[in-house]
Amino acid sequence: MLDISRGNISETTAQRLADGVLYPSETLANHEVYVPGCTEPWIAQLVAALLTASGKSVVLETGGFTGSTSLWLGLTLNRLGGGTLHVAEIDPTRADMIDTRLRIAQLERVDVKVHGQDVMEVIKNFPEKSLGFVWLDDDHQQTHVEAEITALI
């Protein structure tokens, strides 16, 4: 059962949405990996579809948390022929866990780089216009999101 305790939809609706997701991996199909704070699987599927539609190959995800969306993005890049996936996760323990999860996935065509530091530090180290696709999902406070967007553009 999907835990949607922080969401704004009913448990029945959440389960209906989760049942409609086409998971690219058995690991992701295990609903128990989705904990409060994770991107819901139907949202992760949409993000992966947007990456596919963009055709971009250099990706940054901010706020990797458990690595579920990171894995969606990595699998998508791998299926598209490869690329580079950067994941910025400020918590070093979670960053290590995400790195391990992505390495286990054997994304042969994807260069995975998990950055265990503040996203603003990560962003300022990218050359201008070097990122093709960004999924902002760390600190959701308006001032922080605005600062991230400003730093990226």
Side-chain angles (χ1 to χ4, degrees):
M1 186 57 61
L2 215 54
D3 183 344
I4 52 127
S5 59
R6 292 176 41 184
N8 59 358
I9 60 174
S10 72
E11 188 173 316
T12 303
T13 300
Q15 193 59 54
R16 182 180 59 76
L17 291 169
D19 290 345
V21 173
L22 301 174
Y23 295 95
S25 149
E26 282 300 314
T27 303
L28 288 169
N30 177 0
H31 296 308
E32 294 171 10
V33 301
Y34 294 98
V35 296
C38 280
T39 300
E40 294 81 3
W42 51 91
I43 302 296
Q45 182 179 24
L46 177 61
V47 172
L50 290 171
L51 173 57
T52 299
S54 78
K56 302 299 182 182
S57 61
V58 180
V59 175
L60 170 64
E61 175 192 16
T62 69
F65 193 50
T66 66
S68 292
T69 306
S70 310
L71 185 52
W72 275 90
L73 293 167
L75 289 165
T76 301
L77 281 173
N78 203 55
R79 191 181 72 247
L80 292 173
T84 304
L85 173 61
H86 295 273
V87 180
E89 173 50 61
I90 196 167
D91 182 297
T93 303
R94 289 196 306 238
D96 288 343
M97 187 268 310
I98 293 163
D99 189 62
T100 300
R101 186 172 189 188
L102 293 172
R103 303 268 173 232
I104 289 170
Q106 299 178 347
L107 304 168
E108 300 91 13
R109 299 182 197 126
V110 180
D111 183 15
V112 173
K113 298 179 181 187
V114 179
H115 307 270
Q117 63 189 112
D118 181 79
V119 67
M120 299 306 287
E121 291 299 313
V122 173
I123 290 171
K124 76 179 184 182
N125 288 317
F126 286 106
E128 189 175 327
K129 299 184 180 183
S130 63
L131 294 169
F133 186 92
V134 178
W135 172 240
L136 296 179
D137 196 26
D138 56 321
D139 184 336
H140 296 182
Q141 294 178 51
Q142 182 176 346
T143 56
H144 183 78
V145 174
E146 289 171 352
E148 285 177 319
I149 291 169
T150 299
L152 287 163
I153 57 172

